[in-house]
Amino acid sequence: MEAARAAGRRVRVFAYDEHRLGLKPVYRRVWGRKGERPKAVVAHRYRWFYLCTFVEPETGEALSLLVDGVDTEVMSWALREFRGWLGEEEGEVWVVLDRAGWHVSPRVEVPEGVRLVFLPPYSPELQPVERVWPLVNEAVANRYFADLEALMEAVEGRWLVLQG
């Protein structure tokens, strides 16, 4: 990155990760009266979606995309959407991400001006986006959602709040 900056090119660094959310409940501890146990509606259903997020740690600027699954095609699409969101006048952009199979696949189409930088294996603590997921989960914790669309609306609303 220093070489790019020394050459006069602008380099922006973003972190990228996906977070799976679904109809299987997320529970948090809650206060209750002494001697009473709080009750929670439970309906284990295994339908989910992913929140794909690009965050620039330096500025907090972020883009999130809701998708129904992840694979190399979705990863290629997300990178194209990200590049379009930045605009063509943007200089070189580095995206720091983990080594999920759909990230490292040679079938991933990386747009011009985007460079993928991979974290070392087994190092989620180095990924800044990981710190956002507990904040996103607060929108769905201890709540029942009738369908996936209602859950997606709650997550979308929470994301707008987090972006300020």
Side-chain angles (χ1 to χ4, degrees), residues 66-122:
L66 298 175
V67 297
D68 61 358
V70 288
D71 59 16
T72 55
E73 286 181 35
V74 171
M75 184 66 197
S76 297
W77 173 81
L79 288 169
R80 284 192 305 275
E81 289 292 312
F82 171 66
R83 187 63 187 162
W85 175 72
L86 288 173
E88 292 302 319
E89 71 281 350
E90 196 62 49
E92 188 173 358
V93 178
W94 291 11
V95 178
V96 178
L97 61 166
D98 59 26
R99 295 173 182 266
W102 54 88
H103 296 166
V104 298
S105 171
R107 294 188 346 212
V108 172
E109 298 168 10
V110 181
E112 189 175 325
V114 175
R115 179 176 173 197
L116 303 183
V117 179
F118 298 102
L119 291 169
Y122 310 107

Side-chain angles (χ1 to χ4, degrees), residues 8-27:
R9 294 185 314 211
R10 181 171 185 224
V11 176
R12 292 180 72 183
V13 178
F14 282 80
Y16 172 82
D17 200 17
E18 303 95 359
H19 182 52
R20 186 173 77 174
L21 293 143
L23 295 176
K24 186 175 179 184
V26 174
Y27 295 115

Side-chain angles (χ1 to χ4, degrees), residues 40-52:
V41 176
V42 175
H44 289 284
R45 294 162 295 157
Y46 297 95
R47 291 192 57 218
W48 52 79
F49 65 93
Y50 292 82
L51 183 64
C52 299

Side-chain angles (χ1 to χ4, degrees), residues 51 53 55 62-64 132 136 155-163:
L51 183 64
T53 302
V55 174
L63 169 70
S64 280
V132 175
V136 171
V155 169
E156 183 179 11
R158 178 65 174 168
W159 184 250
L160 292 174
V161 167
L162 290 174
Q163 284 201 299

